[in-house]
Amino acid sequence: MTNRELILNVLNGSQKNGLLTGNCEDILTEFPDKSVGCVITSPPYWQMRKYHTNGNDPDAMIGEEKTPEEYVKRLSNIFHQIKRILKTDGSVWLNLGDKYHNKNLMGMPWRVAIAMQEDGWILRNDVIWHQMRGTQSAKDRLRDVHEHVFHFVKSKKYYYDTDIIRIKPRKLPTVNGKEVISATGVSGKKYRRQILESKELNEQERTAAITALDQTLEKMREGELVDFRMTIRGRQRTFHSDNLEISGRAKELKTKGFFITTSNAKGHLPTDIWNIVPEDEWRKDVHYAVFPTKLLELPIKATSQVGSVILDPFMGTGSTLVAANQLNRQGLGIELSEKYVEIARNRLSTPQLF
């Protein structure tokens, strides 16, 4: 079966996974335009490791470039190809680590990210992957325990399922079965007193503020909200800025005399710092930079649908495809090393759970 046939079989759903051996710069040309909805990958880092490459075609190995500029240009060109095959509402998640060269931190992840932005990509998030452990090789700087995971899209309108990744709130407590208290202990009593005692609000603003507070508390009783904060003119300050030109909240405080921020009962979205320990199980093989499948769960759930195809153009030993299958998606992976492809094939044949 040709690469093209294998790609089409996975894209049309007649095959669950497709493992493609070779240089991704060549194989990506065989994908149809706008055919893949989600790409999750971690390319080899610049001058960090020596990977298995079948003993031939050394120039095909990403990360062996002599200069940072060559590395960035090459990756940027690859992601330019990926932009062609990505659906309009698709997403790319890119994990990259940094590199010290002559004691100088190179900023490689951001060099690549900025090059992609210059090529038209929209950067939606810079996630900090806190690996929660690490060794100390240098004695004159702090330990390295994080890497970047960038979320890129090519259109301002893209698929993103916020509800499936929300962190569910705890049940709200009540006092004497009547008074509801927010998830952080706010009952509204203090705000009510501040409104009634305020000398900054006129009578109309005071009445509107009391009405808004009562409506918010009622939504909490009905289970629509789990928490809220009220900002009242003269009592609290806006969160970020008092400048009316750049802060909508500052404008609201000036014109209305108050504003309320709430937390939906569906839960809140995760932050952009992820505490995930690197996976150890597959480090016993010849690959030294194994993608933990737990790192892939949120990107897959948030930016792809059940039954869709997840592509990893630097597949390694197949973690992205394993995670895709665990979450009922198909997987396409491209890998230069035949040895890694075989490991990935064995992993995919063994059922695994998050």
Side-chain angles (χ1 to χ4, degrees), residues 87-195:
K87 293 180 179 179
T88 303
D89 64 349
S91 285
V92 168
W93 296 82
L94 169 62
N95 166 230
L96 277 177
D98 218 331
K99 163 75 175 177
Y100 281 89
H101 183 65
N102 292 330
K103 296 184 79 84
N104 187 24
L105 185 61
M106 302 304 294
M108 296 304 294
W110 277 107
R111 292 188 188 214
V112 174
I114 291 171
M116 290 177 63
Q117 286 180 307
E118 291 174 347
D119 190 39
W121 288 99
I122 301 170
L123 179 58
R124 295 299 294 137
N125 265 124
D126 167 28
V127 175
I128 299 300
W129 172 19
H130 176 210
Q131 299 178 336
M132 303 174 67
R133 64 186 184 190
T135 58
Q136 180 63 38
S137 57
K139 305 300 181 183
D140 56 356
R141 61 173 173 82
L142 303 178
R143 289 190 303 136
D144 307 328
V145 292
H146 82 280
E147 291 184 2
H148 296 267
V149 181
F150 296 120
H151 177 204
F152 287 100
V153 296
K154 69 176 191 178
S155 170
K156 292 181 181 179
K157 293 184 178 181
Y158 55 95
Y159 178 80
Y160 201 92
D161 188 346
T162 55
D163 289 342
I164 201 169
I165 60 172
R166 288 185 186 276
I167 299 172
K168 304 302 180 184
R170 62 185 177 86
K171 187 177 180 180
L172 294 178
T174 57
V175 178
N176 298 326
K178 296 180 180 180
E179 182 184 18
V180 67
I181 300 176
S182 80
T184 56
V186 177
S187 67
K189 286 183 177 180
K190 181 185 72 172
Y191 294 134
R192 189 180 302 276
R193 184 177 67 252
Q194 290 177 348
I195 293 169

Side-chain angles (χ1 to χ4, degrees), residues 34-81:
K34 298 180 180 180
S35 58
V36 174
C38 184
V39 177
I40 307 176
T41 194
S42 182
Y45 305 164
W46 181 63
Q47 295 192 1
M48 287 287 282
R49 296 181 178 92
K50 295 287 186 180
Y51 292 98
H52 185 268
T53 58
N54 303 331
N56 54 37
D57 197 12
D59 291 337
M61 185 63 204
I62 301 291
E64 297 294 314
E65 295 79 11
K66 293 182 179 179
T67 67
E69 292 77 14
E70 291 174 329
Y71 174 77
V72 171
K73 183 177 181 180
R74 192 169 181 191
L75 277 187
S76 180
N77 288 339
I78 290 171
F79 283 101
H80 184 77
Q81 290 195 61

Side-chain angles (χ1 to χ4, degrees), residues 230-280:
M230 191 170 193
T231 299
I232 304 164
R233 186 196 300 143
R235 301 308 298 257
Q236 295 88 12
R237 63 186 297 275
T238 54
F239 298 136
H240 302 296
S241 174
D242 293 325
N243 190 315
L244 300 181
E245 294 183 0
I246 63 175
S247 174
R249 290 302 191 185
K251 291 179 182 177
E252 196 172 1
L253 199 62
K254 179 177 175 60
T255 57
K256 291 175 54 179
F258 71 93
F259 65 82
I260 296 175
T261 55
T262 61
S263 295
N264 195 287
K266 291 182 179 180
H268 58 275
L269 293 177
T271 71
D272 56 4
I273 298 179
W274 299 352
N275 299 314
I276 300 173
V277 178
E279 189 175 88
D280 278 329

Side-chain angles (χ1 to χ4, degrees), residues 193-205:
R193 184 177 67 252
Q194 290 177 348
I195 293 169
L196 294 174
E197 296 175 352
S198 174
K199 295 180 180 180
E200 295 282 339
L201 303 178
N202 60 39
E203 194 60 35
Q204 184 179 357
E205 291 171 337

